[in-house]
Amino acid sequence: MANAPEGGRSGNDERLAAYQTRLRALKERSSLREVMERELLLEFLTLNQTAINEFPMLEAQKKTVMELLCGRQGHPGYEFIHKQIANFIVLLAHYEKAVKVKDAERAESLKSGLLNTESILIKCVQGIVYAMALITDNFEEVVLRYFGQDALKEYTALIEQHELDQAFWTAFIEQFVASKVAEAHKEILEGEKFDISKERSFLVIRFLFDDILAKLNPTDQKIDKTRIQQCYLESETEEAAARRAKLVQGMLAKRLSTLSGFKQFSANELLQAARLTCLDTIGGDFEKQYMARVAAAAGGEGGEAKDRDQARKEQEAFKFLLDQLVGLGVGACIALGVTGDHFFKSMEAYAPEHIKSILPYKKNYSIPVLEKILFFLLEHNMIHLLGERGLDEGGKIQVRSGRARRVPESELDALPNMSKIRRKQLFGKDTTREGTVLFKPKTAQQLAQTMKTLSLEPELQQGLAGLWKKAVFRVDIMVLINLELVARGTTNLKARLGEILDKYGVSKRTQPEAEESVETPPEESPSGE
């Protein structure tokens, strides 16, 4: 191993001396093993920052890296890091003794082990840094796409102020979700952009999700990807890169299977970690060497033809490569998992009733998933806000969302053989947006059954199926007041309903006498949809 400094990083002997000095000080204070490990990891970070690509410059983000590296609980990957740093401490103590007694051969062997362990830990940090970069870059793109260029200043301010912990995500949701929902709700009430109708045994206050979405400031401009984003996307979309990522995923699963908490890793989590691992040159190096070994084994090479010492060295080098690969994957898994825990814990305060429905997305930070989470939060934070207003009414009031597929009338008019009778059976008018209609069937099965009942021509069926797939949802958020339950507890139903409507700020609107509204409302969604 060369001792020359690289890129501002101290030389090997200087770093080892710094570790020894730190360890001696900790032993003199009779520090606990946990404290020793944490302090050595912090020293390690200080000495090796320049060896880590994309290492953050902001102090808050540096602290995030430290906390993610030095954690002891909350993720099964910490077992791997603890084993590495514990082994490092043991090797360091033996190395110091070997140097003192001038056992040059043993000292050199221990030094090699120390530097190799250091390299593995560097890869752990590299995995953390890559995962953090992908998470923050993807969230930044979502902010830009749906809130506009000016919102990036707000996002950057949060990144500069907070570590990537629960406090950050709470501030993020407050800034980009809760405040938007509160502003929209206020404007809806002031502009009386709600509807009150009697539907069966319920008095329904209906709010349009469109009025909440109006608070967004979406852009259709092309958004350039960062290097991290682009490389990650290639591992999803390009055949060779995707194949490499799957190979790395399999190796991660194999090598991590010895961890006591291995079953906590999901296949998707390992695949995301593998894609992040392939951002580093270690991914390509592993694939090249692995495939060469497979080819050699298939061709019968090696064995007696290869020098035993050479074979041993090659095996040791390949094991070291695997250890670094796993280190990078573990670091990525920890960052993805712990950050996901923080994010979802923050979301619970804003959409507690339906958080379980999006748990499958917990460790997925792809742009499509983040978009789904954004719209989930906007919708269900409004549901939560309305639910809180009627909390003391108990089961008399429920707040639900309903959705129906919305399509432009112009596209419907272009379909062949679409008669007025057929149209009436399949679609209802959307009174909330001019020039659009709503599918009456709520599921693909219902649509298929209706088309069969109407004996539609194959060409028309194909056209309707195409409209169904690309239709966007109209979402209604409804406060359902159970008239029967309210009536049981009062002798003056009208006055009691007035009190409830006043809680929701809609008492100025005259209570309806009609049994049904003009259009067929969207069907209620299952919880969390």
Side-chain angles (χ1 to χ4, degrees), residues 458-472:
E459 188 179 0
L460 178 54
Q461 289 192 36
Q462 186 177 358
L464 286 169
L467 283 183
W468 176 272
K469 289 179 181 178
K470 69 179 184 179
V472 295

Side-chain angles (χ1 to χ4, degrees), residues 57-246:
M57 300 298 293
L58 297 172
E59 284 303 317
Q61 299 308 295
K62 287 181 181 180
K63 289 180 181 177
T64 302
V65 175
M66 292 178 185
E67 292 307 315
L68 288 172
L69 178 67
C70 299
R72 298 195 64 84
Q73 295 179 338
H75 196 279
Y78 282 126
E79 183 180 338
F80 178 86
I81 292 179
H82 294 158
K83 284 181 179 178
Q84 297 300 323
I85 191 61
N87 181 52
F88 188 85
I89 289 173
V90 171
L91 290 176
L92 196 60
H94 289 324
Y95 173 69
E96 186 172 20
K97 291 178 181 176
V99 171
K100 281 184 179 179
V101 299
K102 298 181 180 180
D103 186 342
E105 184 177 349
R106 178 164 170 72
E108 191 60 31
S109 175
L110 290 166
K111 179 179 179 181
S112 177
L114 282 166
L115 295 176
N116 283 354
T117 305
E118 182 189 52
S119 295
I120 295 167
L121 287 168
I122 285 176
K123 292 303 181 186
C124 291
V125 180
Q126 189 66 76
I128 290 171
V129 169
Y130 280 154
M132 283 177 55
L134 181 70
I135 292 168
T136 54
D137 288 350
N138 281 359
F139 268 96
E140 181 175 309
E141 180 172 330
V142 169
V143 167
L144 177 58
R145 183 174 295 177
Y146 290 100
F147 298 96
Q149 187 70 40
D150 291 343
L152 286 185
K153 296 177 183 177
E154 300 167 4
Y155 180 75
T156 300
L158 293 178
I159 289 289
E160 292 175 349
Q161 182 180 354
H162 297 282
E163 296 177 37
L164 206 62
D165 55 12
Q166 191 173 333
F168 170 82
W169 294 115
T170 298
F172 178 89
I173 296 170
E174 189 64 39
Q175 179 68 43
F176 294 106
V177 175
S179 66
K180 307 300 181 187
V181 169
E183 289 171 15
H185 182 234
K186 180 181 178 183
E187 291 175 9
I188 288 168
L189 296 181
E190 290 175 349
E192 295 194 4
K193 299 176 184 178
F194 52 84
D195 180 67
I196 304 176
S197 61
K198 185 182 178 186
E199 299 171 15
R200 297 184 292 277
S201 60
F202 291 91
L203 189 63
V204 180
I205 311 169
R206 190 182 302 274
F207 301 89
L208 292 178
F209 190 48
D210 288 349
D211 292 325
I212 297 172
L213 296 182
K215 298 304 297 180
L216 305 185
N217 181 30
T219 179
D220 55 3
Q221 72 179 66
K222 184 179 182 298
I223 300 174
D224 293 330
K225 301 287 185 182
T226 64
R227 185 188 77 84
I228 299 292
Q229 288 178 304
Q230 188 59 46
C231 292
Y232 187 88
L233 279 175
E234 288 173 3
S235 70
E236 289 183 301
T237 58
E238 293 189 6
E239 185 178 350
R243 186 171 57 248
R244 182 184 305 126
K246 290 294 290 183

Side-chain angles (χ1 to χ4, degrees), residues 251-323:
M251 185 55 68
L252 289 178
K254 182 178 179 181
R255 302 283 289 188
L256 294 176
S257 61
T258 58
L259 298 182
S260 60
F262 173 70
K263 290 183 179 180
Q264 297 177 46
F265 289 99
S266 67
N268 184 60
E269 180 182 6
L270 290 175
L271 179 56
Q272 287 195 84
R275 288 172 178 155
L276 288 164
T277 298
C278 289
L279 299 181
D280 192 271
T281 56
I282 201 79
D285 292 343
F286 160 71
E287 181 187 38
K288 183 178 179 180
Q289 291 192 35
Y290 179 84
M291 298 309 294
R293 290 167 73 88
V294 170
E301 297 177 21
E304 297 300 323
K306 185 174 287 188
D307 178 80
R308 286 176 180 269
D309 188 52
Q310 180 187 352
R312 179 183 59 78
K313 288 180 179 178
E314 288 181 2
Q315 183 59 32
E316 288 178 354
F318 186 65
K319 181 184 180 302
F320 178 47
L321 179 71
L322 288 181
D323 288 341

Side-chain angles (χ1 to χ4, degrees), residues 333-377:
C333 281
I334 288 173
L336 293 171
V338 174
T339 302
D341 289 341
H342 290 321
F343 184 33
F344 272 66
K345 191 69 176 176
S346 294
M347 279 198 282
E348 284 182 11
Y350 295 89
E353 299 88 354
H354 303 106
I355 196 72
K356 288 183 180 179
S357 66
I358 58 167
L359 283 178
Y361 300 136
K362 189 172 185 179
K363 298 172 184 177
N364 191 330
Y365 300 92
S366 66
I367 296 294
V369 165
L370 296 186
E371 289 174 335
K372 286 180 182 178
I373 291 176
L374 171 63
F375 288 106
F376 167 88
L377 282 171

Side-chain angles (χ1 to χ4, degrees), residues 403-407 420-429 437-443 446-447 450 468 518-523:
R403 58 233 310 121
R405 281 175 166 80
R406 170 191 274 163
V407 295
K420 288 185 178 180
I421 294 175
R422 289 171 166 180
R423 181 169 178 152
K424 188 173 182 180
Q425 291 291 322
L426 288 161
F427 296 94
K429 187 172 179 59
V437 292
L438 301 172
F439 269 102
K440 285 185 177 179
K442 304 304 178 185
T443 66
Q446 289 178 9
L447 176 63
T450 304
W468 176 272
V518 176
E519 69 172 310
T520 302
E523 188 175 87

Side-chain angles (χ1 to χ4, degrees), residues 38-58:
R38 179 181 175 85
E39 291 299 315
L40 260 295
L41 284 171
L42 291 176
E43 185 73 16
F44 159 83
L45 266 181
T46 301
L47 296 172
N48 292 284
Q49 286 184 21
T50 57
I52 299 162
N53 292 328
E54 309 279 347
F55 195 84
M57 300 298 293
L58 297 172

